[in-house]
mmCIF file of all heavy atoms in Angstrom:
data_model
loop_
_atom_site.group_PDB
_atom_site.id
_atom_site.type_symbol
_atom_site.label_atom_id
_atom_site.label_comp_id
_atom_site.label_asym_id
_atom_site.label_seq_id
_atom_site.Cartn_x
_atom_site.Cartn_y
_atom_site.Cartn_z
ATOM 1 N N ILE A 123 137.870 115.352 100.628
ATOM 2 C CA ILE A 123 136.750 114.717 101.205
ATOM 3 C C ILE A 123 136.740 115.007 102.738
ATOM 4 O O ILE A 123 137.848 114.838 103.439
ATOM 5 C CB ILE A 123 136.794 113.157 100.958
ATOM 6 C CG1 ILE A 123 136.632 112.906 99.527
ATOM 7 C CG2 ILE A 123 135.686 112.526 101.779
ATOM 8 C CD1 ILE A 123 136.669 111.429 99.214
ATOM 9 N N GLU A 124 135.728 115.291 103.216
ATOM 10 C CA GLU A 124 135.481 115.605 104.771
ATOM 11 C C GLU A 124 134.564 114.422 105.186
ATOM 12 O O GLU A 124 133.643 114.102 104.533
ATOM 13 C CB GLU A 124 134.804 116.866 105.058
ATOM 14 C CG GLU A 124 135.564 118.106 104.724
ATOM 15 C CD GLU A 124 134.755 119.445 105.008
ATOM 16 O OE1 GLU A 124 133.531 119.371 105.374
ATOM 17 O OE2 GLU A 124 135.474 120.378 104.816
ATOM 18 N N ILE A 125 134.946 113.857 106.196
ATOM 19 C CA ILE A 125 134.077 112.746 106.881
ATOM 20 C C ILE A 125 133.979 113.009 108.311
ATOM 21 O O ILE A 125 135.005 113.294 109.036
ATOM 22 C CB ILE A 125 134.650 111.403 106.558
ATOM 23 C CG1 ILE A 125 133.709 110.279 107.074
ATOM 24 C CG2 ILE A 125 136.035 111.131 107.089
ATOM 25 C CD1 ILE A 125 133.957 108.852 106.522
ATOM 26 N N MET A 126 132.746 112.907 108.834
ATOM 27 C CA MET A 126 132.484 113.204 110.278
ATOM 28 C C MET A 126 131.844 111.856 110.859
ATOM 29 O O MET A 126 130.852 111.397 110.251
ATOM 30 C CB MET A 126 131.666 114.372 110.441
ATOM 31 C CG MET A 126 131.382 114.659 111.969
ATOM 32 S SD MET A 126 130.487 116.233 112.211
ATOM 33 C CE MET A 126 128.788 115.661 111.865
ATOM 34 N N SER A 127 132.326 111.469 111.979
ATOM 35 C CA SER A 127 131.751 110.386 112.672
ATOM 36 C C SER A 127 130.433 110.773 113.391
ATOM 37 O O SER A 127 130.383 111.878 114.061
ATOM 38 C CB SER A 127 132.704 109.875 113.809
ATOM 39 O OG SER A 127 132.091 109.038 114.685
ATOM 40 N N GLY A 128 129.378 110.106 113.064
ATOM 41 C CA GLY A 128 128.115 110.345 113.776
ATOM 42 C C GLY A 128 128.140 109.941 115.167
ATOM 43 O O GLY A 128 127.216 110.285 115.919
ATOM 44 N N ASP A 129 129.019 109.134 115.468
ATOM 45 C CA ASP A 129 129.134 108.587 116.905
ATOM 46 C C ASP A 129 129.732 109.591 117.824
ATOM 47 O O ASP A 129 129.073 109.839 118.871
ATOM 48 C CB ASP A 129 130.086 107.307 116.910
ATOM 49 C CG ASP A 129 130.109 106.631 118.166
ATOM 50 O OD1 ASP A 129 129.106 106.577 118.873
ATOM 51 O OD2 ASP A 129 131.251 106.156 118.651
ATOM 52 N N ASN A 130 130.780 110.226 117.482
ATOM 53 C CA ASN A 130 131.445 111.175 118.403
ATOM 54 C C ASN A 130 131.686 112.628 117.817
ATOM 55 O O ASN A 130 132.242 113.477 118.505
ATOM 56 C CB ASN A 130 132.737 110.632 118.957
ATOM 57 C CG ASN A 130 133.751 110.344 117.979
ATOM 58 O OD1 ASN A 130 133.685 110.942 116.870
ATOM 59 N ND2 ASN A 130 134.655 109.538 118.188
ATOM 60 N N GLY A 131 131.329 112.869 116.613
ATOM 61 C CA GLY A 131 131.444 114.133 115.929
ATOM 62 C C GLY A 131 132.845 114.437 115.492
ATOM 63 O O GLY A 131 133.145 115.647 114.984
ATOM 64 N N THR A 132 133.781 113.575 115.578
ATOM 65 C CA THR A 132 135.132 113.778 115.139
ATOM 66 C C THR A 132 135.127 113.868 113.548
ATOM 67 O O THR A 132 134.433 113.173 112.853
ATOM 68 C CB THR A 132 136.020 112.581 115.489
ATOM 69 O OG1 THR A 132 136.062 112.505 116.942
ATOM 70 C CG2 THR A 132 137.501 112.880 115.025
ATOM 71 N N LYS A 133 135.777 114.982 113.113
ATOM 72 C CA LYS A 133 135.847 115.252 111.706
ATOM 73 C C LYS A 133 137.205 115.028 111.138
ATOM 74 O O LYS A 133 138.191 115.524 111.813
ATOM 75 C CB LYS A 133 135.454 116.792 111.413
ATOM 76 C CG LYS A 133 135.173 117.050 109.988
ATOM 77 C CD LYS A 133 134.989 118.636 109.913
ATOM 78 C CE LYS A 133 133.782 118.903 109.055
ATOM 79 N NZ LYS A 133 133.449 120.282 108.950
ATOM 80 N N LYS A 134 137.353 114.339 109.984
ATOM 81 C CA LYS A 134 138.663 114.178 109.400
ATOM 82 C C LYS A 134 138.501 114.646 107.951
ATOM 83 O O LYS A 134 137.476 114.576 107.294
ATOM 84 C CB LYS A 134 138.982 112.705 109.337
ATOM 85 C CG LYS A 134 139.166 112.049 110.774
ATOM 86 C CD LYS A 134 139.640 110.654 110.549
ATOM 87 C CE LYS A 134 139.888 109.924 111.932
ATOM 88 N NZ LYS A 134 140.322 108.522 111.717
ATOM 89 N N THR A 135 139.665 115.191 107.459
ATOM 90 C CA THR A 135 139.652 115.621 106.056
ATOM 91 C C THR A 135 140.903 115.103 105.372
ATOM 92 O O THR A 135 141.970 114.985 106.043
ATOM 93 C CB THR A 135 139.791 117.129 106.023
ATOM 94 O OG1 THR A 135 138.616 117.913 106.730
ATOM 95 C CG2 THR A 135 139.733 117.680 104.532
ATOM 96 N N THR A 136 140.673 114.668 104.000
ATOM 97 C CA THR A 136 141.875 114.302 103.324
ATOM 98 C C THR A 136 141.948 115.002 101.934
ATOM 99 O O THR A 136 140.839 115.288 101.381
ATOM 100 C CB THR A 136 141.904 112.773 103.058
ATOM 101 O OG1 THR A 136 143.047 112.430 102.366
ATOM 102 C CG2 THR A 136 140.731 112.237 102.203
ATOM 103 N N THR A 137 143.089 115.341 101.480
ATOM 104 C CA THR A 137 143.303 115.832 100.160
ATOM 105 C C THR A 137 144.304 114.828 99.407
ATOM 106 O O THR A 137 144.744 115.167 98.329
ATOM 107 C CB THR A 137 143.996 117.204 100.252
ATOM 108 O OG1 THR A 137 145.128 117.133 101.056
ATOM 109 C CG2 THR A 137 143.000 118.300 100.920
ATOM 110 N N ASP A 138 144.598 113.643 100.011
ATOM 111 C CA ASP A 138 145.364 112.632 99.402
ATOM 112 C C ASP A 138 144.709 112.070 98.135
ATOM 113 O O ASP A 138 143.724 111.338 98.205
ATOM 114 C CB ASP A 138 145.611 111.546 100.387
ATOM 115 C CG ASP A 138 146.455 110.448 99.891
ATOM 116 O OD1 ASP A 138 146.547 110.181 98.684
ATOM 117 O OD2 ASP A 138 147.089 109.678 100.682
ATOM 118 N N GLN A 139 145.197 112.443 97.057
ATOM 119 C CA GLN A 139 144.514 112.121 95.787
ATOM 120 C C GLN A 139 144.528 110.622 95.446
ATOM 121 O O GLN A 139 143.516 110.100 94.915
ATOM 122 C CB GLN A 139 145.106 112.907 94.537
ATOM 123 C CG GLN A 139 144.744 114.375 94.473
ATOM 124 C CD GLN A 139 143.218 114.568 94.468
ATOM 125 O OE1 GLN A 139 142.608 114.178 93.503
ATOM 126 N NE2 GLN A 139 142.766 115.164 95.498
ATOM 127 N N VAL A 140 145.415 109.943 95.924
ATOM 128 C CA VAL A 140 145.533 108.433 95.702
ATOM 129 C C VAL A 140 144.284 107.822 96.488
ATOM 130 O O VAL A 140 143.596 107.128 96.041
ATOM 131 C CB VAL A 140 146.795 107.821 96.024
ATOM 132 C CG1 VAL A 140 146.779 106.319 96.053
ATOM 133 C CG2 VAL A 140 147.936 108.365 95.148
ATOM 134 N N LEU A 141 144.245 108.283 97.821
ATOM 135 C CA LEU A 141 143.243 107.700 98.635
ATOM 136 C C LEU A 141 141.850 108.134 98.188
ATOM 137 O O LEU A 141 140.894 107.320 98.103
ATOM 138 C CB LEU A 141 143.410 108.329 100.080
ATOM 139 C CG LEU A 141 142.302 107.908 101.145
ATOM 140 C CD1 LEU A 141 142.264 106.336 101.310
ATOM 141 C CD2 LEU A 141 142.644 108.685 102.489
ATOM 142 N N ILE A 142 141.646 109.361 97.747
ATOM 143 C CA ILE A 142 140.328 109.893 97.263
ATOM 144 C C ILE A 142 139.984 109.065 95.941
ATOM 145 O O ILE A 142 138.794 108.598 95.938
ATOM 146 C CB ILE A 142 140.426 111.401 96.847
ATOM 147 C CG1 ILE A 142 140.490 112.242 98.232
ATOM 148 C CG2 ILE A 142 139.183 111.793 96.043
ATOM 149 C CD1 ILE A 142 140.810 113.659 98.085
ATOM 150 N N GLN A 143 140.829 108.936 95.061
ATOM 151 C CA GLN A 143 140.528 108.275 93.843
ATOM 152 C C GLN A 143 140.151 106.777 94.015
ATOM 153 O O GLN A 143 139.349 106.164 93.425
ATOM 154 C CB GLN A 143 141.524 108.475 92.724
ATOM 155 C CG GLN A 143 141.661 109.965 92.259
ATOM 156 C CD GLN A 143 140.444 110.620 91.884
ATOM 157 O OE1 GLN A 143 139.573 109.919 91.114
ATOM 158 N NE2 GLN A 143 140.061 111.705 92.298
ATOM 159 N N GLU A 144 141.015 106.180 94.952
ATOM 160 C CA GLU A 144 140.710 104.645 95.268
ATOM 161 C C GLU A 144 139.360 104.568 95.919
ATOM 162 O O GLU A 144 138.596 103.666 95.597
ATOM 163 C CB GLU A 144 141.825 104.159 96.129
ATOM 164 C CG GLU A 144 143.099 103.948 95.423
ATOM 165 C CD GLU A 144 144.186 103.455 96.391
ATOM 166 O OE1 GLU A 144 143.930 103.426 97.633
ATOM 167 O OE2 GLU A 144 145.338 103.151 95.842
ATOM 168 N N TRP A 145 138.959 105.500 96.771
ATOM 169 C CA TRP A 145 137.670 105.370 97.480
ATOM 170 C C TRP A 145 136.563 105.708 96.451
ATOM 171 O O TRP A 145 135.631 105.024 96.518
ATOM 172 C CB TRP A 145 137.651 106.324 98.665
ATOM 173 C CG TRP A 145 136.473 106.145 99.492
ATOM 174 C CD1 TRP A 145 136.246 105.170 100.344
ATOM 175 C CD2 TRP A 145 135.299 106.934 99.527
ATOM 176 N NE1 TRP A 145 134.941 105.262 100.949
ATOM 177 C CE2 TRP A 145 134.451 106.344 100.540
ATOM 178 C CE3 TRP A 145 134.892 108.097 98.849
ATOM 179 C CZ2 TRP A 145 133.129 106.819 100.805
ATOM 180 C CZ3 TRP A 145 133.611 108.602 99.130
ATOM 181 C CH2 TRP A 145 132.759 107.973 99.997
ATOM 182 N N ILE A 146 136.816 106.631 95.634
ATOM 183 C CA ILE A 146 135.628 106.975 94.601
ATOM 184 C C ILE A 146 135.474 105.764 93.731
ATOM 185 O O ILE A 146 134.316 105.387 93.381
ATOM 186 C CB ILE A 146 136.070 108.231 93.760
ATOM 187 C CG1 ILE A 146 135.925 109.444 94.559
ATOM 188 C CG2 ILE A 146 135.266 108.275 92.555
ATOM 189 C CD1 ILE A 146 136.396 110.737 93.920
ATOM 190 N N GLU A 147 136.500 105.060 93.298
ATOM 191 C CA GLU A 147 136.345 103.938 92.467
ATOM 192 C C GLU A 147 135.542 102.809 93.156
ATOM 193 O O GLU A 147 134.749 102.006 92.510
ATOM 194 C CB GLU A 147 137.724 103.389 92.016
ATOM 195 C CG GLU A 147 138.337 104.193 90.883
ATOM 196 C CD GLU A 147 137.373 104.374 89.728
ATOM 197 O OE1 GLU A 147 136.784 103.449 89.183
ATOM 198 O OE2 GLU A 147 137.306 105.513 89.289
ATOM 199 N N LYS A 148 135.662 102.696 94.489
ATOM 200 C CA LYS A 148 134.900 101.768 95.264
ATOM 201 C C LYS A 148 133.509 101.997 95.414
ATOM 202 O O LYS A 148 132.610 101.155 95.538
ATOM 203 C CB LYS A 148 135.576 101.538 96.669
ATOM 204 C CG LYS A 148 136.936 100.894 96.616
ATOM 205 C CD LYS A 148 137.483 100.812 97.991
ATOM 206 C CE LYS A 148 139.003 100.202 97.904
ATOM 207 N NZ LYS A 148 139.533 100.347 99.280
ATOM 208 N N VAL A 149 133.126 103.343 95.393
ATOM 209 C CA VAL A 149 131.777 103.765 95.679
ATOM 210 C C VAL A 149 130.960 104.276 94.446
ATOM 211 O O VAL A 149 129.660 104.325 94.470
ATOM 212 C CB VAL A 149 131.631 104.834 96.795
ATOM 213 C CG1 VAL A 149 132.276 104.268 98.062
ATOM 214 C CG2 VAL A 149 132.265 106.142 96.474
ATOM 215 N N ARG A 150 131.622 104.678 93.473
ATOM 216 C CA ARG A 150 130.913 105.425 92.315
ATOM 217 C C ARG A 150 129.867 104.595 91.676
ATOM 218 O O ARG A 150 128.965 105.075 91.131
ATOM 219 C CB ARG A 150 131.961 105.878 91.281
ATOM 220 C CG ARG A 150 132.571 104.925 90.454
ATOM 221 C CD ARG A 150 133.729 105.398 89.593
ATOM 222 N NE ARG A 150 133.318 106.341 88.718
ATOM 223 C CZ ARG A 150 134.133 107.039 87.876
ATOM 224 N NH1 ARG A 150 135.404 106.812 87.853
ATOM 225 N NH2 ARG A 150 133.604 107.952 86.989
ATOM 226 N N HIS A 151 130.052 103.229 91.582
ATOM 227 C CA HIS A 151 129.020 102.453 90.872
ATOM 228 C C HIS A 151 128.000 101.800 91.883
ATOM 229 O O HIS A 151 127.222 100.940 91.384
ATOM 230 C CB HIS A 151 129.754 101.357 90.052
ATOM 231 C CG HIS A 151 130.568 101.990 89.022
ATOM 232 N ND1 HIS A 151 130.152 102.719 87.950
ATOM 233 C CD2 HIS A 151 132.006 102.063 88.845
ATOM 234 C CE1 HIS A 151 131.087 103.194 87.188
ATOM 235 N NE2 HIS A 151 132.297 102.670 87.760
ATOM 236 N N LEU A 152 128.046 102.093 93.155
ATOM 237 C CA LEU A 152 127.043 101.549 94.025
ATOM 238 C C LEU A 152 125.746 101.976 93.651
ATOM 239 O O LEU A 152 125.485 103.162 93.250
ATOM 240 C CB LEU A 152 127.421 101.991 95.514
ATOM 241 C CG LEU A 152 128.654 101.501 96.160
ATOM 242 C CD1 LEU A 152 128.842 101.970 97.519
ATOM 243 C CD2 LEU A 152 128.696 100.004 96.197
ATOM 244 N N LYS A 153 124.719 101.113 93.813
ATOM 245 C CA LYS A 153 123.301 101.380 93.404
ATOM 246 C C LYS A 153 122.683 102.196 94.589
ATOM 247 O O LYS A 153 122.607 101.638 95.700
ATOM 248 C CB LYS A 153 122.598 100.170 93.056
ATOM 249 C CG LYS A 153 123.188 99.365 91.918
ATOM 250 C CD LYS A 153 123.164 100.132 90.657
ATOM 251 C CE LYS A 153 123.695 99.222 89.482
ATOM 252 N NZ LYS A 153 123.990 100.100 88.307
ATOM 253 N N ILE A 154 122.036 103.350 94.306
ATOM 254 C CA ILE A 154 121.368 104.106 95.261
ATOM 255 C C ILE A 154 119.968 104.152 94.795
ATOM 256 O O ILE A 154 119.637 104.383 93.634
ATOM 257 C CB ILE A 154 121.917 105.547 95.208
ATOM 258 C CG1 ILE A 154 123.382 105.591 95.546
ATOM 259 C CG2 ILE A 154 121.146 106.426 96.208
ATOM 260 C CD1 ILE A 154 123.766 105.064 96.894
ATOM 261 N N ILE A 155 119.047 104.024 95.755
ATOM 262 C CA ILE A 155 117.536 104.097 95.441
ATOM 263 C C ILE A 155 117.009 105.074 96.327
ATOM 264 O O ILE A 155 116.991 104.943 97.671
ATOM 265 C CB ILE A 155 116.802 102.715 95.660
ATOM 266 C CG1 ILE A 155 117.514 101.645 94.803
ATOM 267 C CG2 ILE A 155 115.266 102.842 95.458
ATOM 268 C CD1 ILE A 155 117.034 100.261 95.009
ATOM 269 N N LEU A 156 116.582 106.261 95.804
ATOM 270 C CA LEU A 156 115.921 107.288 96.578
ATOM 271 C C LEU A 156 114.518 106.710 97.088
ATOM 272 O O LEU A 156 113.879 106.008 96.420
ATOM 273 C CB LEU A 156 115.601 108.493 95.817
ATOM 274 C CG LEU A 156 116.965 109.188 95.324
ATOM 275 C CD1 LEU A 156 116.509 110.551 94.614
ATOM 276 C CD2 LEU A 156 117.835 109.546 96.398
ATOM 277 N N ASP A 157 114.192 107.011 98.347
ATOM 278 C CA ASP A 157 112.993 106.504 99.080
ATOM 279 C C ASP A 157 112.338 107.653 99.765
ATOM 280 O O ASP A 157 112.655 107.859 100.921
ATOM 281 C CB ASP A 157 113.294 105.359 99.884
ATOM 282 C CG ASP A 157 112.071 104.685 100.463
ATOM 283 O OD1 ASP A 157 110.949 105.062 100.162
ATOM 284 O OD2 ASP A 157 112.306 103.695 101.168
ATOM 285 N N PRO A 158 111.457 108.413 99.118
ATOM 286 C CA PRO A 158 110.799 109.472 99.733
ATOM 287 C C PRO A 158 109.852 109.019 100.991
ATOM 288 O O PRO A 158 109.501 109.815 101.870
ATOM 289 C CB PRO A 158 109.974 110.218 98.683
ATOM 290 C CG PRO A 158 109.772 109.163 97.706
ATOM 291 C CD PRO A 158 110.994 108.272 97.740
ATOM 292 N N ASP A 159 109.494 107.750 100.988
ATOM 293 C CA ASP A 159 108.598 107.226 101.993
ATOM 294 C C ASP A 159 109.378 106.829 103.231
ATOM 295 O O ASP A 159 108.742 106.471 104.311
ATOM 296 C CB ASP A 159 107.736 106.030 101.489
ATOM 297 C CG ASP A 159 106.940 106.503 100.257
ATOM 298 O OD1 ASP A 159 106.454 107.687 100.193
ATOM 299 O OD2 ASP A 159 106.768 105.698 99.344
ATOM 300 N N ARG A 160 110.595 106.736 103.183
ATOM 301 C CA ARG A 160 111.462 106.315 104.270
ATOM 302 C C ARG A 160 111.296 107.267 105.400
ATOM 303 O O ARG A 160 111.375 108.503 105.201
ATOM 304 C CB ARG A 160 112.972 106.232 103.761
ATOM 305 C CG ARG A 160 113.886 105.706 105.012
ATOM 306 C CD ARG A 160 115.245 105.591 104.437
ATOM 307 N NE ARG A 160 116.317 105.501 105.344
ATOM 308 C CZ ARG A 160 116.447 104.455 106.197
ATOM 309 N NH1 ARG A 160 115.594 103.491 106.149
ATOM 310 N NH2 ARG A 160 117.397 104.507 107.135
ATOM 311 N N GLU A 161 111.079 106.835 106.611
ATOM 312 C CA GLU A 161 110.933 107.641 107.716
ATOM 313 C C GLU A 161 112.307 108.224 108.174
ATOM 314 O O GLU A 161 113.334 107.537 107.960
ATOM 315 C CB GLU A 161 110.391 106.788 108.882
ATOM 316 C CG GLU A 161 108.899 106.512 108.666
ATOM 317 C CD GLU A 161 108.161 106.078 109.992
ATOM 318 O OE1 GLU A 161 108.711 106.503 111.022
ATOM 319 O OE2 GLU A 161 107.253 105.404 109.871
ATOM 320 N N ASP A 162 112.306 109.465 108.675
ATOM 321 C CA ASP A 162 113.508 110.049 109.080
ATOM 322 C C ASP A 162 114.012 109.145 110.319
ATOM 323 O O ASP A 162 113.254 108.810 111.137
ATOM 324 C CB ASP A 162 113.229 111.487 109.567
ATOM 325 C CG ASP A 162 113.122 112.438 108.420
ATOM 326 O OD1 ASP A 162 113.605 112.187 107.385
ATOM 327 O OD2 ASP A 162 112.428 113.444 108.530
ATOM 328 N N SER A 163 115.232 109.087 110.290
ATOM 329 C CA SER A 163 115.896 108.384 111.487
ATOM 330 C C SER A 163 116.895 109.311 112.145
ATOM 331 O O SER A 163 117.572 110.046 111.429
ATOM 332 C CB SER A 163 116.479 106.983 111.079
ATOM 333 O OG SER A 163 117.451 107.202 110.205
ATOM 334 N N SER A 164 117.048 109.152 113.413
ATOM 335 C CA SER A 164 118.127 109.921 114.134
ATOM 336 C C SER A 164 119.376 109.148 114.148
ATOM 337 O O SER A 164 119.454 107.961 114.413
ATOM 338 C CB SER A 164 117.631 110.385 115.448
ATOM 339 O OG SER A 164 117.359 109.151 116.222
ATOM 340 N N GLY A 165 120.439 109.980 113.972
ATOM 341 C CA GLY A 165 121.769 109.358 114.033
ATOM 342 C C GLY A 165 122.176 108.513 112.807
ATOM 343 O O GLY A 165 121.385 107.782 112.405
ATOM 344 N N VAL A 166 123.386 108.809 112.386
ATOM 345 C CA VAL A 166 123.902 108.009 111.284
ATOM 346 C C VAL A 166 125.409 107.738 111.661
ATOM 347 O O VAL A 166 126.090 108.367 112.409
ATOM 348 C CB VAL A 166 123.905 108.650 109.903
ATOM 349 C CG1 VAL A 166 122.474 108.798 109.451
ATOM 350 C CG2 VAL A 166 124.579 110.101 110.015
ATOM 351 N N LEU A 167 125.947 106.817 110.961
ATOM 352 C CA LEU A 167 127.311 106.331 111.182
ATOM 353 C C LEU A 167 128.340 107.333 110.751
ATOM 354 O O LEU A 167 129.222 107.840 111.603
ATOM 355 C CB LEU A 167 127.540 105.086 110.413
ATOM 356 C CG LEU A 167 128.869 104.170 110.624
ATOM 357 C CD1 LEU A 167 128.844 103.846 112.181
ATOM 358 C CD2 LEU A 167 128.888 103.055 109.856
ATOM 359 N N PHE A 168 128.222 107.887 109.545
ATOM 360 C CA PHE A 168 129.087 108.926 109.069
ATOM 361 C C PHE A 168 128.392 109.936 108.092
ATOM 362 O O PHE A 168 127.468 109.532 107.579
ATOM 363 C CB PHE A 168 130.302 108.259 108.206
ATOM 364 C CG PHE A 168 131.131 107.435 109.010
ATOM 365 C CD1 PHE A 168 131.192 105.963 108.956
ATOM 366 C CD2 PHE A 168 132.131 107.939 109.851
ATOM 367 C CE1 PHE A 168 131.930 105.193 109.699
ATOM 368 C CE2 PHE A 168 132.945 107.145 110.644
ATOM 369 C CZ PHE A 168 132.895 105.733 110.576
ATOM 370 N N HIS A 169 128.987 111.030 108.038
ATOM 371 C CA HIS A 169 128.513 112.059 107.096
ATOM 372 C C HIS A 169 129.829 112.362 106.206
ATOM 373 O O HIS A 169 130.863 112.645 106.745
ATOM 374 C CB HIS A 169 128.265 113.379 107.795
ATOM 375 C CG HIS A 169 127.230 113.322 108.929
ATOM 376 N ND1 HIS A 169 125.920 113.722 108.599
ATOM 377 C CD2 HIS A 169 127.244 112.883 110.141
ATOM 378 C CE1 HIS A 169 125.222 113.603 109.747
ATOM 379 N NE2 HIS A 169 125.990 113.005 110.734
ATOM 380 N N VAL A 170 129.557 112.183 104.875
ATOM 381 C CA VAL A 170 130.720 112.455 103.938
ATOM 382 C C VAL A 170 130.401 113.616 103.041
ATOM 383 O O VAL A 170 129.274 113.659 102.573
ATOM 384 C CB VAL A 170 131.033 111.110 103.101
ATOM 385 C CG1 VAL A 170 132.049 111.433 101.941
ATOM 386 C CG2 VAL A 170 131.541 110.064 104.021
ATOM 387 N N THR A 171 131.349 114.522 102.868
ATOM 388 C CA THR A 171 131.220 115.589 101.960
ATOM 389 C C THR A 171 132.380 115.605 100.966
ATOM 390 O O THR A 171 133.454 115.540 101.372
ATOM 391 C CB THR A 171 131.167 116.962 102.687
ATOM 392 O OG1 THR A 171 130.109 116.914 103.704
ATOM 393 C CG2 THR A 171 130.823 118.114 101.716
ATOM 394 N N MET A 172 131.977 115.591 99.673
ATOM 395 C CA MET A 172 132.992 115.718 98.616
ATOM 396 C C MET A 172 133.105 117.109 98.088
ATOM 397 O O MET A 172 132.103 117.728 97.957
ATOM 398 C CB MET A 172 132.595 114.741 97.416
ATOM 399 C CG MET A 172 132.565 113.239 97.836
ATOM 400 S SD MET A 172 132.171 112.329 96.376
ATOM 401 C CE MET A 172 132.621 110.693 96.822
#
Side-chain angles (χ1 to χ4, degrees):
I123 295 179
E124 293 176 355
I125 184 166
M126 185 175 76
S127 168
D129 183 39
N130 60 22
T132 301
K133 187 187 235 181
K134 295 182 177 184
T135 302
T136 185
T137 55
D138 179 335
Q139 285 306 295
V140 173
L141 177 62
I142 290 171
Q143 294 309 315
E144 286 175 354
W145 191 75
I146 286 172
E147 284 307 311
K148 292 176 184 177
V149 300
R150 72 188 297 177
H151 298 295
L152 293 179
K153 300 297 184 192
I154 303 297
I155 300 172
L156 295 181
D157 187 0
D159 300 324
R160 178 177 169 67
E161 291 196 20
D162 285 334
S163 60
S164 59
V166 291
L167 192 59
F168 294 106
H169 303 260
V170 173
T171 305
M172 295 179 166

